[in-house]
Amino acid sequence: QVQLVESGGGLVQAGGSLRLSCAASGRTFSSYAMGWFRQAPGKEREFVAAISGGGFNTRYADSVKGRFTISRDNAKNTVYLQMNSLKTEDTTLYYCAADLLFRPTTWNYWGQGTQVTVSS
């Protein structure tokens, strides 16, 4: 079992930055690929970024490429999402997820989410 707790969300002006964190329980954190997703009310959950267990491979949604950076610290069991040049359309609930696969069909573990609000 992996438990995930997100933090770092908040209110920021357009063009600003936020860093989300996701702390994971368990002693095998480096075995898991980690991902960030977001979901606005009434919309489907959208993939944002993912990073492999060792941190050597990453992938991003086109909508955030060049603005967001995913990273991880396996010694701290934590994955991060650095979000720069934020836009109002980035406003939504952000979730982290974990899975043993880098490209799973469905991610196995999910956090509760953290709200990001970008004002104009």
Side-chain angles (χ1 to χ4, degrees), residues 1-4 24-29 32 77 98 100 108-110:
Q1 275 289 49
V2 177
Q3 293 185 327
L4 305 172
S25 65
R27 295 177 293 176
T28 59
F29 179 67
Y32 289 86
N77 279 18
L100 290 174
N108 214 354
Y109 302 102
W110 293 88

Side-chain angles (χ1 to χ4, degrees), residues 28-114:
T28 59
F29 179 67
S30 61
S31 299
Y32 289 86
M34 299 297 296
W36 285 98
F37 292 76
R38 62 189 183 185
Q39 186 171 21
K43 293 189 176 181
E44 289 190 358
R45 190 167 291 183
E46 175 190 14
F47 168 77
V48 175
I51 187 167
S52 60
F56 298 109
N57 295 303
T58 58
R59 56 190 180 101
Y60 296 90
D62 288 343
S63 57
V64 306
K65 206 171 289 184
R67 299 189 298 124
F68 292 9
T69 302
I70 189 170
S71 63
R72 65 190 297 158
D73 185 339
N74 285 345
K76 295 182 178 180
N77 279 18
T78 302
V79 63
Y80 305 98
L81 186 68
Q82 178 67 44
M83 305 186 295
N84 298 330
S85 302
L86 282 161
K87 305 176 181 179
T88 55
E89 51 263 44
D90 294 319
T91 294
T92 190
L93 200 59
Y94 285 73
Y95 299 88
C96 71
D99 198 274
L100 290 174
L101 301 177
F102 184 49
R103 294 178 183 269
T105 303
T106 55
W107 290 71
N108 214 354
Y109 302 102
W110 293 88
Q112 294 300 305
T114 185

Side-chain angles (χ1 to χ4, degrees), residues 10-16 86-91 116-120:
L11 175 64
V12 64
Q13 286 191 326
L86 282 161
K87 305 176 181 179
T88 55
E89 51 263 44
D90 294 319
T91 294
V116 171
T117 303
V118 184
S119 63
S120 58

